[in-house]
Amino acid sequence: MGQILFYVVIMSLGAFLAKKKLIPQAVKKRLGTLQSISLFILLGTMGYKIGVDDSILLNFKIIGKQSVIFALCTAGGSVLFTYICFMGIKFFSSKNKKEVR
């Protein structure tokens, strides 16, 4: 729980600094590069942690299958929910147009 709170505090600090315009222009110009470097470091450390953990490597097939199923269900659910919302908006929009006439 403490780690999550730490992440929230760091993100809030960044948002506060940006809102108060306390971030120098030189940093703003290189923000994309800094984000990419940070992402590569994060991915590298995650890969190292996975490679060192024998239990993850032994269960890699199971984890992979579960990850694919989760990703497909999440994407499919998002598409379905968006479609249902779109159809609902379309239905109520056409209903309101008929009532106005």
Side-chain angles (χ1 to χ4, degrees):
M1 181 66 177
Q3 228 176 4
I4 293 173
L5 184 61
F6 178 69
Y7 296 148
V8 171
V9 168
I10 294 295
M11 287 193 307
S12 299
L13 178 65
F16 174 78
L17 292 174
K19 186 75 173 167
K20 296 294 182 180
K21 299 183 192 273
L22 297 174
I23 298 174
Q25 193 65 28
V27 173
K28 285 183 183 178
K29 287 181 180 179
R30 291 180 170 65
L31 204 53
T33 304
L34 290 171
Q35 287 176 332
S36 295
I37 291 169
S38 298
L39 178 63
F40 293 141
I41 291 170
L42 175 66
L43 290 173
T45 55
M46 288 174 62
Y48 174 78
K49 187 172 182 178
I50 289 171
V52 170
D53 193 349
D54 290 334
S55 64
I56 291 177
L57 293 176
L58 291 174
N59 296 315
F60 202 69
K61 272 187 175 179
I62 296 169
I63 294 170
K65 287 177 188 176
Q66 290 175 345
S67 298
V68 168
I69 291 169
F70 181 75
L72 291 175
C73 289
T74 302
S78 296
V79 170
L80 181 63
F81 183 74
T82 303
Y83 178 76
I84 290 170
C85 288
F86 176 76
M87 294 307 284
I89 291 169
K90 188 175 174 182
F91 173 77
F92 287 115
S93 175
S94 66
K95 189 175 179 181
N96 288 339
K97 286 181 182 177
K98 288 179 185 176
E99 290 176 2
V100 172
R101 290 181 186 173

